[in-house]
Amino acid sequence: VTRHDASYYELAPTQPRTPLTALSTIPPLNSLFLFHPHMGNCMGSAGGAGGGGGGNFPEEKSKVFMDITIDGGEAQRIVILLHGDKTPKTCANFKALCTGEKGFGFKGSSFHRIIPDFMAQGGDFTNGNGTGGKSIFGGKFEDENFLMTHTKRGILSMANSGPNTNGSQFFLCFRATPHLNGKHCVFGEVESGLEVLDALEAVGTDSGKPRATCKIEDCGALDDSSEAMRHAGMMRGSGGKGTGRAGAGLFFRGPDANAARPC
């Protein structure tokens, strides 16, 4: 399982979350998850590790896109910069899952776990609930390195079930999450489309179960020229409108138990 020695947040029933100085023990769970203390076991069993696969991978930066719909609405695009110069194998896996060149991938799958002020997790294109997915290498593969860290909103990192158990599941950070450093491999970041993260975060819950279906309608690789043309077309079609983020702390408590809460 993922082992987290540092804390994230504690949730009291009637009080705001307050930082914890330490969380000394985490019970072992056979699940693929990112630790969030007030949630406990968030996901089901992910199975054991398999072959890592070998080969040479391009050591260069590249870009991919994801067109995401929320509750069946208009698709909104996220463009992700992959740091293949630092994590070539992890980036090659993610990029191939975006293009679908191996016959399977992210297209049509959903973000199954979204927690405000934490992250949005996706990539389980087999089971859709956090228990599945697979890499292009035929099994799990090793943690490539921990050169990059979870420093800001928009960081892209691999979800896992412990050391060296990467598959296809990933998460996008809503904020800096330093307690995940050294445990999850960071390999990219959102270059454009942070407003789409705002929209994802707005339908998240403290339990992690989204209040709306957040689907990857399309995804793939792109270069700068194709993205510039696509972005211009999408902005014309939407009238330039986007979902603006209200700002930190503006997730209000409501009567619904699944409503987002103040941070």
Side-chain angles (χ1 to χ4, degrees), residues 31-47:
S31 57
L32 184 67
F33 74 108
L34 305 172
F35 177 64
H36 198 271
H38 76 270
M39 290 186 61
N41 184 4
C42 311
M43 305 171 65
S45 174

Side-chain angles (χ1 to χ4, degrees), residues 63-65 95 98-99 219-223 226:
K63 296 179 184 180
V64 296
F65 71 91
K95 188 173 184 178
C98 285
T99 63
C219 51
L222 45 74
D223 56 32
S226 64

Side-chain angles (χ1 to χ4, degrees), residues 2 42 86 98 109 116 133 144 173 194 199 206 214:
T2 313
C42 311
K86 296 183 174 66
C98 285
S109 66
E144 191 165 11
C173 293
L194 284 173
D206 286 318
C214 302

Side-chain angles (χ1 to χ4, degrees), residues 11-234:
L11 180 66
T14 59
Q15 299 177 356
R17 300 173 189 147
T18 54
L20 289 173
T21 57
L23 191 67
S24 58
T25 59
I26 303 299
L29 301 170
N30 292 323
S31 57
L32 184 67
F33 74 108
L34 305 172
F35 177 64
H36 198 271
H38 76 270
M39 290 186 61
N41 184 4
C42 311
M43 305 171 65
S45 174
N56 297 318
F57 308 100
E59 296 184 6
E60 59 186 14
K61 293 183 180 180
S62 60
K63 296 179 184 180
V64 296
F65 71 91
M66 289 183 171
D67 291 339
I68 298 169
T69 58
I70 298 177
D71 202 21
E74 183 178 359
Q76 304 177 69
R77 174 163 289 198
I78 290 178
V79 174
I80 297 171
L81 176 65
L82 300 178
H83 292 284
D85 54 331
K86 296 183 174 66
T87 53
K89 183 173 184 177
T90 307
C91 290
N93 179 64
F94 190 84
K95 188 173 184 178
L97 293 172
C98 285
T99 63
E101 63 196 62
K102 304 297 183 180
F104 55 87
F106 298 136
K107 185 174 181 178
S109 66
S110 298
F111 287 85
H112 62 272
R113 183 170 176 244
I114 303 175
I115 303 173
D117 202 39
F118 185 23
M119 58 88 229
Q121 186 169 340
D124 181 358
F125 50 81
T126 59
N127 297 342
N129 60 7
T131 65
K134 60 181 178 179
S135 76
I136 65 170
F137 309 117
K140 307 296 182 183
F141 66 99
E142 72 279 1
D143 297 316
E144 191 165 11
N145 60 56
F146 301 112
L147 294 176
M148 294 179 289
T149 55
H150 303 78
T151 56
K152 62 183 180 180
R153 185 174 181 84
I155 286 291
L156 173 66
S157 187
M158 291 298 292
N160 61 46
S161 56
N164 303 313
T165 58
N166 298 287
S168 60
Q169 292 193 47
F170 64 91
F171 61 97
L172 291 163
C173 293
F174 292 144
R175 54 160 292 163
T177 55
H179 67 293
L180 301 179
N181 293 342
K183 303 172 180 71
H184 297 269
C185 178
V186 173
F187 62 100
E189 60 187 289
V190 174
E191 184 177 76
S192 65
L194 284 173
E195 69 277 6
V196 187
L197 287 192
D198 303 340
L200 288 171
E201 187 171 18
V203 298
T205 65
D206 286 318
S207 71
K209 182 178 181 180
R211 291 184 287 110
T213 299
C214 302
K215 186 177 180 181
I216 301 172
E217 295 287 350
D218 196 12
C219 51
L222 45 74
D223 56 32
D224 289 333
S225 59
S226 64
E227 169 52 22
M229 293 176 62
R230 167 72 176 184
H231 182 70
M234 291 185 71

